[in-house]
């Protein structure tokens, strides 16, 4: 898990927080941040512009934190939801919901709880017949299923446990491919002596690349751009000026 | 299919007994209109429509499995 601090931007504070949480791989209430820039206020109304946050995982010390910008807002304390279900309970519900969805779709499936700990729940569903249909384009359908199962398993509470739904090891294979892409692209960037870009990644895919290269001292990674245009940049360190 | 839509929506709301699903036909497509309690509307739509989008994708995938074309429409 990354201990890095990263910078994200969003049209609203909530959007920026969410984007930071996704890239850090934790819930929105598990991040701490400082506001780097805020939209300008015109006559008390928030005008155009974006929120830029510098965010890190709660408990991690932000490396080389610059002094907070003048007038930066203090991080707001996330509310502690009371009576939160245990991670085992969330895992059991997620398994039940996933199997119910599959059975209503007329599909035979098994669902194995691969892990359930403070990082969340990983559920691997195995269905021999309709893999492609359930994964969808670029994993979109699987992401949607995962989202609904996750909300249902946490009973609609936000800031619950992250639920990851895999389908016959699809996500695991994608993750390995992406880690290889990260290494290859980093090698290209070093070889060429200039930044290399991996476009078109989803937030959790960018996180995989960030993490794959986090321990390297010859490259650094960051994301830039908004929404669908957001892309991951791998930058060799000690670039000649 | 109607029960499938109802089940998915029930995962999201506080008042599952207020869910109403009305099937409509639009050309080749079956549209399942989703009605929920006022206080649950935001939960079914989600931030920037994320939940509604996920619901739609899953229903569309399931309908292909049953060789029909179906989608959902959340009625506010």
């Amino acid at each position: 898990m990354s201990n890095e601090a990263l910078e994200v931007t969003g049209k609203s504070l909530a959007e920026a927080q969410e984007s930071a949480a996704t890239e850090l791989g934790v819930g929105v209430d598990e991040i701490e941040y400082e506001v780097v820039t805020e939209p300008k206020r015109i006559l008390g109304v928030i005008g155009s512009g974006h929120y830029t946050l510098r965010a890190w995982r709660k408990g991690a010390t932000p490396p080389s934190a610059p002094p907070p910008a003048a007038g930066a807002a203090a991080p707001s304390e996330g509310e502690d939801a009371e009576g939160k279900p245990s991670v085992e309970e969330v895992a059991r519900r997620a398994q039940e919901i996933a199997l119910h969805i599959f059975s209503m779709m007329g599909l035979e499936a098994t669902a194995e709880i691969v892990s359930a700990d403070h990082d969340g729940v990983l559920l691997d569903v195995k269905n021999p017949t309709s893999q492609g249909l359930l994964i969808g384009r670029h994993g979109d359908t699987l992401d949607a299923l995962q989202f609904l199962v996750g909300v249902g398993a946490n009973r609609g509470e936000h800031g619950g446990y992250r639920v990851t739904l895999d389908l016959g090891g699809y996500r695991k294979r994608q993750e390995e491919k992406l880690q290889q892409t990260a290494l290859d692209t980093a090698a290209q960037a070093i070889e060429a002596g200039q930044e290399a870009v991996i476009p078109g990644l989803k937030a959790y895919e960018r996180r995989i690349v960030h993490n794959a290269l986090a321990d390297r001292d010859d490259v650094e990674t960051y994301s830039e751009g908004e929404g669908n245009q957001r892309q991951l940049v791998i930058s060799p360190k000690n670039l000649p000026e | 299919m109607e029960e499938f839509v109802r089940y998915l929506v029930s995962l999201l709301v506080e008042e599952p007994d207020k869910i109403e699903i009305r099937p409509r036909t639009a050309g080749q497509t079956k549209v399942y209109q989703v009605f929920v309690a006022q206080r649950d509307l935001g939960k079914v739509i989600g931030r920037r429509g994320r939940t509604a989008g996920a619901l739609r994708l899953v229903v569309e995938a399931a309908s292909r499995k049953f060789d029909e074309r179906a989608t959902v429409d959340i009625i506010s």
Side-chain angles (χ1 to χ4, degrees):
Chain A
M1 205 45 69
S2 176
N3 279 337
E4 301 279 301
L6 52 86
E7 274 197 16
V8 293
T9 53
K11 286 191 204 76
S12 66
L13 187 58
E15 191 181 311
Q17 283 175 300
E18 196 181 357
S19 162
T22 313
E23 279 197 45
L24 288 167
V26 297
V28 173
D29 58 358
E30 290 172 85
I31 61 166
E32 287 176 338
Y33 62 89
E34 61 197 24
V35 178
V36 181
T37 58
E38 277 182 292
K40 287 194 184 78
R41 278 169 190 273
I42 303 159
L43 300 172
V45 178
I46 297 181
S48 60
H50 292 90
Y51 279 92
T52 303
L53 306 181
R54 187 164 172 283
W56 57 93
R57 202 181 151 93
K58 209 177 252 182
T61 3
S64 61
S76 67
E77 214 62 63
E79 294 165 353
D80 246 4
E82 277 166 30
K84 258 193 190 175
S86 69
V87 69
E88 290 81 12
E89 175 67 11
V90 172
R92 200 190 52 72
R93 281 188 209 157
Q95 185 182 36
E96 186 185 302
I97 293 166
L99 287 176
H100 197 73
I101 289 176
F102 281 71
S103 104
M104 287 187 102
M105 289 171 85
L107 299 173
E108 270 182 44
T110 58
E112 182 199 348
I113 299 171
V114 179
S115 60
D117 53 34
H118 60 279
D119 278 338
V121 174
L122 174 59
L123 200 63
D124 192 17
V125 176
K126 292 192 174 69
N127 164 266
T129 52
S130 303
Q131 288 253 12
L133 177 80
L134 293 166
I135 291 170
R137 192 159 41 89
H138 197 176
D140 285 351
T141 305
L142 184 58
D143 286 347
L145 273 168
Q146 168 177 298
F147 180 76
L148 296 178
V149 170
V151 173
N154 285 295
R155 289 270 156 81
E157 277 178 63
H158 280 279
Y161 289 100
R162 168 184 299 272
V163 173
T164 305
L165 192 66
D166 201 350
L167 196 69
Y170 166 80
R171 285 201 194 282
K172 198 166 162 45
R173 290 193 297 279
Q174 290 299 111
E175 183 173 346
E176 285 162 4
K177 268 192 216 169
L178 203 48
Q179 283 163 345
Q180 192 56 51
T181 305
L183 296 179
D184 294 347
T185 312
Q188 282 167 22
I190 292 167
E191 167 103 24
Q194 58 184 23
E195 294 189 330
V197 164
I198 310 180
L201 298 181
K202 300 176 186 185
Y204 66 79
E205 294 174 322
R206 290 194 295 271
R207 170 161 50 93
I208 290 168
V209 176
H210 287 309
N211 286 342
L213 300 174
D215 295 334
R216 296 270 294 247
D217 47 21
D218 52 351
V219 289
E220 55 192 3
T221 60
Y222 61 95
S223 305
E224 64 178 14
E226 290 294 311
N228 290 336
Q229 300 301 313
R230 198 159 168 79
Q231 56 185 18
L232 187 135
V233 183
I234 299 176
S235 173
K237 284 187 185 169
N238 310 319
L239 266 185
E241 282 303 309
Chain B
M1 200 64 206
E2 188 176 324
E3 281 317 299
F4 183 65
V5 177
R6 181 184 302 277
Y7 175 69
L8 293 181
V9 175
S10 77
L11 296 173
L12 309 170
V13 300
E14 305 256 333
E15 296 184 77
D17 47 333
K18 296 269 175 69
I19 300 170
E20 205 183 313
I21 310 291
R22 288 185 206 157
R24 293 277 183 275
T25 305
Q28 302 274 25
T29 306
K30 201 75 165 277
V31 181
Y32 292 92
Q33 295 184 325
V34 176
F35 297 82
V36 295
Q38 190 63 35
R39 63 189 279 237
D40 281 330
L41 202 53
K43 292 207 169 74
V44 178
I45 293 170
R47 210 181 288 170
R48 280 172 286 148
R50 186 179 179 193
T51 311
L55 205 56
R56 189 166 294 124
L57 264 182
V58 171
V59 167
E60 287 173 4
S63 73
R64 280 198 295 281
K65 164 78 182 138
F66 293 113
D67 288 326
E68 57 174 70
R69 195 184 298 178
T71 189
V72 286
D73 193 5
I74 291 150
I75 309 295
S76 53

